[in-house]
């Protein structure tokens, strides 16, 4: 390689030859040792001057346009670079850029392999001289020149240290940071998933990392107004008929489209509807590879989702890098990031509300997506609304009008919040402040959550506000570092409800439902729904996303358990304190919803291990918190929420045997049974809607309780806990549970039988109408449909809302079967308590056992008699039910045969010896009981017939005074009591049953408790004397016996 001649003339100086024994071989590899036996070349024995060698190396590295006038060595390299750079800087236009780039190239070449030896001592002096000269040139330039030079250098391969030093030095000029940031950040606007502008983003990070002055400049004028958080003036305002403002456009969509953090978070897979048609092909949904999914194999879909996940994780990693830099820069930057996120979350609050259902609104998820599915498939829907693509376009327009972030940006923002939560250890959850959402200055972060409903009553919340003043985190300024973990936790917790859940519900309910419903009806709609679901699933089920989401769920349940127990043992639940009263109820509601949505709905083998989100969850705090919610009405007033908790516990324990096994270990082995009893009682008041006339919602919430009863009572430890509970502090609650079980079993069976009767009746009427129409020569619809109820094509518009008799009956027979099974189970293990308590024995025998035998083998059976095939279709198994009833009789008879017979003999409505005899024949015919048990039951039935005959004869002969009869049951009383409000006199057992059922005086319709009943001792003595004289058996025996 030719080099410049040394100053003073002479031939060009060649590069230094290799020295040593391998000189004759020419240049050698620096890593290979010289071989022995080689002769030295006589031409390289003469040593060149050191200055000449240094000069040669410097020229190879710098490659100046003109040769230097003097020899350049280590001692003079600084002067030479200063002279040469000043000369270049004098060039008009880009002189300063040329000078610094000349120095940067020299720096870079000396680090490149093969130019100069890596051990050469001149490398460090050259770099230091280049750095000093560059800084001198840059510091002496004007603000405009600095910004221009740095912008140019950021586009060239300048060594990292040199670039950082230049950026840091330029930051001392107050005008540089803001101007440079504006120039670097604005090109990021318009990013999308297939064009993330990564080089430009890298430049931005390089600038922000160079000096803390750059992040500081980002949140002050002019960057504040232009790229961080511009001033927002709502363009849309909604008013009511009185011209009062009821809603305004929110700034969320503006933050997404006009701010730096919004540009970084915007690239997503779900927001294709908001792209202009000219750029639709650049989105995931509009790309060719995501088309024609109706023929896609599972392998192809997995490949597409993995590709989308790689793009999304790249975007999300960029957002995390940017926020990490800003959060670490200063307290002001950290608070600015949190406030930006808080504003976006506040704007997204509309998406978490039940209203605004598409197409009139922007939410697809309410009503499990059924409304949207009905609109898409309804004949009278406008043509525009019959396209899912059009409805997604409407959602994008609504996002601009109302000002909430789109689904893709919402998911990316949630991922960012999960990233901020990741460093928080689970054990640190106990340090979060429960009072933080109640702070007066938390509005910028928590939005409307400062007004959310709390777990406590109004007075309790007010008292909690006074206690909060003693909490250091409640009074510390928001910018305090000690609050950061609490702030991030509360933002992420709110993000679950406002950002994550709406997108999950739309994906797992609506889009997946649309794909299934329209698969064979309208393929374009089905394809659109399937595509949207798969794109959402690519994010929601991505492994790193679920891992971080699992960490947040663990933090939430650990926090809730700690606050609910007040730092004590969580089970049995202690009385809640001020911290629990101050908590927003949506925290618990959202995390339960989240876990329920992420559960695997596909049937798996019994040995299945946790999958998906549940791989990352800690079962102990989750199950403990759910048990607290189930057990304590002091903690949770909403019975529906308590029912949702037991449903989640049931689903998880029956999905994962590892979790199920924990139910048999402390603390659950000692406390689960009381929790189940309490939650069963609580959901009595759960109402889904005004139209839930058959109480189906209440029954649905009780199904998991009954499953868990059956599961746990297989173990001796749980049976012992149940026995101690019903004989101790839980006696009243157990009796209430039995009362509700009896009522449920009767109501469910009656509803199912009534439905079958109506079905048979309507079937007969329809057949008669068809025969009449055939005789008259006319055809008629199978349902009576008015002309006003038909479309132009004759479709019945109300057909879908009419009852499906078979499905309705099947549902209620299934509910009744489960309820009877639970009743049988409790009677088996607690028969002694039931009989000795007397309170419910009469109700159990009369309204439940006797009545069901009357319907199953008595005269009423004829009205529902059908073929075995129809019974199977309806899920009705009369054999099993008759068997269970007979076994319950025997459970009770073993405890007190005389008392059971006495009470049955009083039943004049359902008991008859013929019915019981038929029951024995039925059991014998189908061999439902073993020989020994059947003989026992047969003997009891015969004895019962004799006892009934004798007892009724005694009653017929006795003229019982009216004042001795219960006003509720019209039967002789054994322990008369008086209701305090209505003053009605009834038997204690009847009054207690009424209170157990409704907690009200049935005559005055006022609240009443068992201890409020007024005993009438004198009347009781009169009745017992009369019964003794007439030979009438009384409940619990006669006091004069």
């Amino acid at each position: 390689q030719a080099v410049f001649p040394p100053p003073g003339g002479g031939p060009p100086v060649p590069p230094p030859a290799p020295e040593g024994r391998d000189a004759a071989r020419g240049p050698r590899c620096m890593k290979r040792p010289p071989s022995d036996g080689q002769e030295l070349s006589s031409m390289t024995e003469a040593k060149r001057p050191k200055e000449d060698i240094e000069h040669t190396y410097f020229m190879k590295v710098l490659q100046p346009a003109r040769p230097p006038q003097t020899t350049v060595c280590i001692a003079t390299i600084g002067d030479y670079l200063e002279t040469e750079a000043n000369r270049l800087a004098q060039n008009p236009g880009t002189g300063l850029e040329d000078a610094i780039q000349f120095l940067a190239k020299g720096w870079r070449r000396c680090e490149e392999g093969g130019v100069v030896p890596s051990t050469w001592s001149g490398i460090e002096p050259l770099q230091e001289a280049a750095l000093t000269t560059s800084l001198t040139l840059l510091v002496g330039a004007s603000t405009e020149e600095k910004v221009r030079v740095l912008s140019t250098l950021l586009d060239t391969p300048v060594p990292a240290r040199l670039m950082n030093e230049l950026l840091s030095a330029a930051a001392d000029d107050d005008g540089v940071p803001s101007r440079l940031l504006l120039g670097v950040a604005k090109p990021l606007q318009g990013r999308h998933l297939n064009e993330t502008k990564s080089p430009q983003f890298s430049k931005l990070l390089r600038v922000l990392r160079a000096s803390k002055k750059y992040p500081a400049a980002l949140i002050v004028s002019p960057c504040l107004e232009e790229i961080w958080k511009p001033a927002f003036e709502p363009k849309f305002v909604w008013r009511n008929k009185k011209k009062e403002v009821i809603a305004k456009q929110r700034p969320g969509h503006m933050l997404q489209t006009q701010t730096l953090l919004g540009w970084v978070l915007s690239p997503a897979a779900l927001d294709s509807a908001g792209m202009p048609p000219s750029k639709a092909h650049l989105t995931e949904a509009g790309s060719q590879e995501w088309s024609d999914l109706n023929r896609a194999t599972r392998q192809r879909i997995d490949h597409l989702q993995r590709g989308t996940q790689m793009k999304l994780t790249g975007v999300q990693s960029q957002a995390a890098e940017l926020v990490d830099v800003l959060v670490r820069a200063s307290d002001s930057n950290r608070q600015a990031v949190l406030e930006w996120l808080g504003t976006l979350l506040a704007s997204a609050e509309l998406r978490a509300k039940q209203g605004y259902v598409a197409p009139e609104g922007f939410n697809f998820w309410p009503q499990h997506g059924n409304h949207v599915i009905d609109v898409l498939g309804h004949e009278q829907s406008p043509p525009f609304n019959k396209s899912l693509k059009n409805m997604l376009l409407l959602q994008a327009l609504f996002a601009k009008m109302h000002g909430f972030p789109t689904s893709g940006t919402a998911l990316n923002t949630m991922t960012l919040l999960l990233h901020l939560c990741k460093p928080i250890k689970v054990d640190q959850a106990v340090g979060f402040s429960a009072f933080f959402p109640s702070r007066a200055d938390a509005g910028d972060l928590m939005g409307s959550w400062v007004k959310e409903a709390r777990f406590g009553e109004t007075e309790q919340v007010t008292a909690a506000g006074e206690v909060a003043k003693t909490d250091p985190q409640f009074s510390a300024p928001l910018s305090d570092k000690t609050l950061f973990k609490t702030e991030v936790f509360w933002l992420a917790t709110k993000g679950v409800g406002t950002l994550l859940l709406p997108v999950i519900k739309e994906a797992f309910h609506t889009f997946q439902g649309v794909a299934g419903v329209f698969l064979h009806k309208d393929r374009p709609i089905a394809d659109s729904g399937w595509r949207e679901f798969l794109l959402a699933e690519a994010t929601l089920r991505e492994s790193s996303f679920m891992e971080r989401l699992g960490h947040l769920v663990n933090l939430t349940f650990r926090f809730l358990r700690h606050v609910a127990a007040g730092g004590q043992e969580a089970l049995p639940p202690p009385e809640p304190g001020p911290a629990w009263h101050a908590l927003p109820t949506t925290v618990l509601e959202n995390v339960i919803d989240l876990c329920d949505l992420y559960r695997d709905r596909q049937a798996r083998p019994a040995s299945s291990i946790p999958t998906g989100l549940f791989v990352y969850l800690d079962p102990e705090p989750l199950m403990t918190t759910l048990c607290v919610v189930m057990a304590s009405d002091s903690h949770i007033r909403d019975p529906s929420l308590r029912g949702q908790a037991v449903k989640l516990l049931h689903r998880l324990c029956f999905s994962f045997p590892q979790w199920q096994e924990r139910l048999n270990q402390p603390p659950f082995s000692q406390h689960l049974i009381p929790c189940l009893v309490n939650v069963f009682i609580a959901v009595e008041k759960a109402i889904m809607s005004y139209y839930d006339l058959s109480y189906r919602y209440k029954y649905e919430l009780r199904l998991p309780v009954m499953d868990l009863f059956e599961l746990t009572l297989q173990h001796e430890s749980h049976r012992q806990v149940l026995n101690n509970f019903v004989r101790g502090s839980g006696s009243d609650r157990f009796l209430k549970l039995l009362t509700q079980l009896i009522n449920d079993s009767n109501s469910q069976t009656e509803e199912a039988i009534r439905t079958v009767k109506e079905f048979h009746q309507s079937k007969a009427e329809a057949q008669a109408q068809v025969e009449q129409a055939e005789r008259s020569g006319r055809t008629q619809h199978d349902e009576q449909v008015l002309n006003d109820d038909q479309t132009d094509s004759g479709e019945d518009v109300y057909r879908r809302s009419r009852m499906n008799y078979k499905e309705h009956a099947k549902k209620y027979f299934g509910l009744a079967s489960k309820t009877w099974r639970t009743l049988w189970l409790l009677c088996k293990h607690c028969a002694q308590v039931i009989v000795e308590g007397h309170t419910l024995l009469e109700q159990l025998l009369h309204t439940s056992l006797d009545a069901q035998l009357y319907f199953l083998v008595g005269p009423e059976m004829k009205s529902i008699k059908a073929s075995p095939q129809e019974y199977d279709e309806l899920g009705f198994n009369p054999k099993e039910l008759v068997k269970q009833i007979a076994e319950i009789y025997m459970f009770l008879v073993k405890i007190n045969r005389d008392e059971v017979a006495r009470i049955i003999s009083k039943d004049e409505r359902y008991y008859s010896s013929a019915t019981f005899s038929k029951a024995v024949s039925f059991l014998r015919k189908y061999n439902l009981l073993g020989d020994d048990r059947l003989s026992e039951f047969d003997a009891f039935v015969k004895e019962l017939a004799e006892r009934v005959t004798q007892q009724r004869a005694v009653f017929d002969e006795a003229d019982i005074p009216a004042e001795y009869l219960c006003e509720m049951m019209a039967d002789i009383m054994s322990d008369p009591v008086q209701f305090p409000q209505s003053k009605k006199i009834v038997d204690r057992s009847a009054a207690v049953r009424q209170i157990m059922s409704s907690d009200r005086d049935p005559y005055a319709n006022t609240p009443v408790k068992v201890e409020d009943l007024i005993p009438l001792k004198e009347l009781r003595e009169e009745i017992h004397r009369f019964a003794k004289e007439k030979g009438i058996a009384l409940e619990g025996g006669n006091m004069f016996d």
Side-chain angles (χ1 to χ4, degrees), residues 151-224:
S151 299
T152 303
L153 294 177
L154 287 170
D155 291 325
T156 58
V158 178
R161 181 189 169 197
L162 177 59
M163 190 72 243
N164 290 340
E165 293 289 348
L166 292 173
L167 289 169
S168 179
D172 294 334
D173 187 336
D174 294 339
V176 170
S178 57
R179 296 186 187 185
L180 183 60
L181 283 172
L182 289 173
V184 174
K186 283 186 175 181
L188 291 174
Q189 188 172 11
R191 289 190 348 145
H192 53 81
L193 197 59
N194 292 307
E195 188 181 348
T196 58
K197 303 181 180 179
S198 295
Q200 194 68 27
F201 181 80
S202 299
K203 288 162 54 176
L204 174 65
L205 282 184
R206 197 171 190 179
V207 172
L208 292 172
R209 286 170 173 163
S211 171
K212 292 185 178 180
K213 294 183 179 180
Y214 290 102
L218 189 61
I219 59 173
V220 297
S221 183
C223 292
L224 175 65

